[in-house]
Amino acid sequence: MATGRISRFEFFSRIMRFLIWLVVLCWTVAMLRRVVVWMLRGFMKTLTAQPSAPAAPQQSALRSRRLVRDPVCGVHISEDRAFSLDAGGEIVHFCSVACRDQYERSNQKFAANG
């Protein structure tokens, strides 16, 4: 075995060692990238922050987190982005103007028949 050839076991061992180090290196780069992006995002927020009343942003943030369901197509959408309609004393939210119009047409049709 002093001829300079390596055995199959040594060959596969070296390949596995290389692959493990490659995975570790890729994982480390991905984690470092996440940390840098997180740090830059926080830094950019502090640069662009505008002074405002403390109660208003909290109210807006809580409202924007609330999801409502479109009764026509069933899509869930943020309440602040939804199209609203006052239907019989209750507010109904829609994902688009087309869904709102379709809902209005179906209600008019039922009212005309009933």
Side-chain angles (χ1 to χ4, degrees), residues 8-107:
R8 282 187 185 173
F9 180 74
E10 262 185 88
F11 177 73
F12 288 121
S13 169
R14 287 182 181 179
I15 288 177
M16 290 305 294
R17 195 175 324 148
F18 172 76
L19 291 176
I20 288 171
W21 278 110
L22 187 64
V23 167
V24 168
L25 178 68
C26 290
W27 180 80
T28 304
V29 168
M31 293 306 293
L32 284 174
R33 183 173 179 237
R34 282 186 176 187
V35 167
V36 169
V37 167
W38 174 74
M39 289 172 64
L40 288 176
R41 188 178 301 145
F43 178 70
M44 294 305 286
K45 280 183 183 177
T46 59
L47 288 179
T48 61
Q50 298 175 353
S52 62
Q58 291 175 350
Q59 188 80 356
S60 173
L62 290 176
R63 184 169 180 244
S64 67
R65 291 184 190 160
R66 183 168 176 236
L67 293 179
V68 292
R69 186 173 179 271
D70 184 328
V72 175
C73 63
V75 171
H76 287 86
I77 187 166
S78 177
E79 184 178 17
D80 61 338
R81 293 181 182 244
F83 295 92
S84 301
L85 174 70
D86 187 10
E90 98 177 74
I91 297 177
V92 184
H93 300 280
F94 302 93
C95 67
S96 67
V97 175
C99 283
R100 183 187 66 193
D101 293 344
Q102 183 178 353
Y103 183 82
E104 284 181 320
R105 280 193 306 267
S106 67
N107 275 350

